[in-house]
Amino acid sequence: MSVFALFFRHYFVSSPHVLSNPGEQFYMFSVIAAWLISLCGRPFDTPQEYDDPNATVSNILSELRALGGQVDFPPSKLKSGSGEHVVYVLDQLVEKALKSKGFTWDRPMYPSVEVEDECVQEDDAELTLSKVEEEMTQEDEEYEEEDGLDLDTLKTRTNQIELSGSRPAVVLESDVDAAEWNLEVERVLPQLKVTIRTDNKDWRIHLDQMHQHQEGINTSLQDAKGCLFKLREDISKTLEKVSSREKYLNTQLEHLISEYRQAQAQLNKVKELYQQASGGVTERTRILAEISEELEKVKQEMEEKGSSMSDGAPVVKIRQSLTKLKQELEQMDVRMGVVEHTLLQAKLREKNNMTRDMHATHLLEPNTQPY
């Protein structure tokens, strides 16, 4: 816990630039997270400084999920050891640890502090707006009270004073030197200056600004109204001129318009005839294209036949074939002669054998007869 006491308030908010080892912040985060997980009653080994950060982060997040925390960010966000996600994980673990320990927050007890009267000396040269308004209100009330006395009352008071004889016998005159008086005035004049501290958030300033803007809008609106009225009159006059001119043109060009309508109708008829004629031309063009294709085919066949007839190669081939057939026929005749000769020899041999057998039987028959 002595190490934890060395952390400042925003240690895990951002990466500090004064650390010599960048991994120190992540190591402190992992150590604190392991300590909080152990406070929640779950066994968790304290990670070492040179452990794999991926394994450490995955273990911490798995324990947080097991405790019921929600994790909707990738584990790589915790490798820096600072930032929003690190603070979120620590906050969740602290809440789980406090809940597991049964910690509850008591109601705050505010100490009773006796308020002492403080004498605040205000500078006479600076006044607030509220004080100035109070003084102006008092002066207005006194002025209204003085205005309440009419001339008749003043005349009656003057008459009463004259009758009573209480008029002063000697007129009061000042015995102060004018130069000294002017010096005194110059000396006291800087102290008599009133400086009012204005507050931009005061509603009175906003109200004055609103009045100023309203006056500006009213003046601008008056000018704009005049311009708009003039513009409306000009537009109305122009529209009247255009409508009258249109009527005049319609009356003057009525016969031309009728002729144009007739020409337009004739043009429509001619267009219809043209479309019909163009349809027939299209059909005939298609038929002509088919006939042209057939004619091209016939021409191509005739060219092929003419080229074959004028070419002597087929005749040479036929002659070669005929000579080859003749040779084959001669060979066949020779073979047939050989075969016939062979058959003839076989027949003669068989005939000789038969005659020999017949003579042999005739010779044997008389010898075998009895005497």
Side-chain angles (χ1 to χ4, degrees), residues 94-95 98 102-108:
V94 168
E95 288 184 358
L98 291 175
F103 179 81
T104 55
W105 295 97
D106 297 332
R107 295 179 63 85

Side-chain angles (χ1 to χ4, degrees), residues 123-167:
D123 190 1
D124 295 336
E126 294 183 355
L127 300 175
T128 58
L129 290 173
S130 60
K131 290 185 178 181
V132 173
E133 289 180 355
E134 291 177 359
E135 292 178 358
M136 292 175 66
T137 305
Q138 292 177 1
E139 290 178 358
D140 292 338
E141 291 177 356
E142 292 176 359
Y143 183 72
E144 289 176 357
E145 290 177 358
E146 291 178 358
D147 291 342
L149 299 175
D150 55 359
L151 295 174
D152 296 333
T153 306
L154 290 174
K155 287 181 179 179
T156 54
R157 286 185 180 181
T158 304
N159 294 329
Q160 289 177 1
I161 291 171
E162 290 178 353
L163 292 173
S164 62
S166 60
R167 180 179 293 179

Side-chain angles (χ1 to χ4, degrees), residues 256-321:
L256 295 176
I257 292 171
S258 62
E259 291 178 359
Y260 173 73
R261 288 175 181 171
Q262 293 176 2
Q264 189 71 25
Q266 291 179 0
L267 179 62
N268 292 329
K269 291 180 180 179
V270 171
K271 283 183 178 180
E272 290 178 358
L273 293 174
Y274 172 73
Q275 289 178 357
Q276 293 176 1
S278 63
V281 170
T282 304
E283 183 68 22
R284 289 176 177 81
T285 304
R286 185 180 62 79
I287 295 170
L288 179 61
E290 292 178 356
I291 294 171
S292 299
E293 289 180 358
E294 292 179 356
L295 181 60
E296 290 293 333
K297 290 180 181 178
V298 171
K299 285 182 179 180
Q300 187 175 2
E301 291 177 357
M302 289 177 66
E303 288 178 356
E304 290 178 356
K305 289 181 179 180
S307 61
S308 62
M309 290 174 68
S310 61
D311 191 7
V315 177
V316 174
K317 289 182 180 179
I318 292 170
R319 288 178 180 176
Q320 291 176 357
S321 300

Side-chain angles (χ1 to χ4, degrees), residues 58-77:
S58 62
N59 293 332
I60 291 171
L61 292 179
S62 62
E63 291 294 335
L64 180 59
R65 291 190 186 95
L67 292 171
Q70 295 182 356
V71 179
D72 55 355
F73 53 87
S76 60
K77 297 291 185 180

